[in-house]
Amino acid sequence: MNRNRYRFLLGGHDLEMNGIVEMLRKNRKIVYDLHLSWGARLSSYIYVLNSEDAFVGIELTEDIPPPAHYIAIDHHNKNSHNASFLKQLIITFKPKNV
């Protein structure tokens, strides 16, 4: 598994997601952005998923089984008890890895 370079899969666009995109790109992260709308699904990114890389799904509905090395970050609907995206990112990755 290649955890050195996480692949970020973006969910539905809104003001928050626009800020997330800007932050990730500014930090030279690998970002897959299909400009999806609210209710975005993991299956939209099926063409990039594999069992070797590490993926971070941001606000994606898991309508298919996630790949082996997958981290879901969400704080909406059934995940409303979770912290904000930025807080989850910091807790999960530690700043030097993000």
Side-chain angles (χ1 to χ4, degrees):
M1 174 189 59
N2 181 1
R3 285 192 175 231
N4 293 329
R5 302 218 18 156
Y6 288 88
R7 279 96 171 110
F8 291 83
L9 312 173
L10 304 185
H13 269 262
D14 57 11
L15 187 57
E16 178 189 32
M17 191 63 71
N18 293 340
I20 291 167
V21 171
E22 184 178 331
M23 180 196 71
L24 292 171
R25 289 193 173 142
K26 184 177 182 180
N27 286 284
R28 298 177 187 228
K29 300 303 168 193
I30 299 169
V31 176
Y32 293 93
D33 183 6
L34 297 176
H35 298 278
L36 302 171
S37 59
W38 184 258
R41 298 171 185 225
L42 179 59
S43 62
S44 299
Y45 292 100
I46 198 162
Y47 70 98
V48 298
L49 301 178
N50 61 60
S51 61
E52 298 299 316
D53 296 316
F55 295 94
V56 180
I58 302 171
E59 299 179 2
L60 291 172
T61 300
E62 293 178 21
D63 62 327
I64 60 171
H69 309 291
Y70 182 76
I71 298 167
I73 294 184
D74 196 354
H75 64 102
H76 296 285
N77 302 319
K78 69 177 185 173
N79 297 305
S80 62
H81 62 283
N82 291 341
S84 70
F85 164 79
L86 290 174
K87 190 168 186 176
Q88 288 183 63
L89 190 68
I90 290 167
I91 291 169
T92 303
F93 295 101
K94 299 184 174 68
K96 69 178 185 175
N97 295 332
V98 175

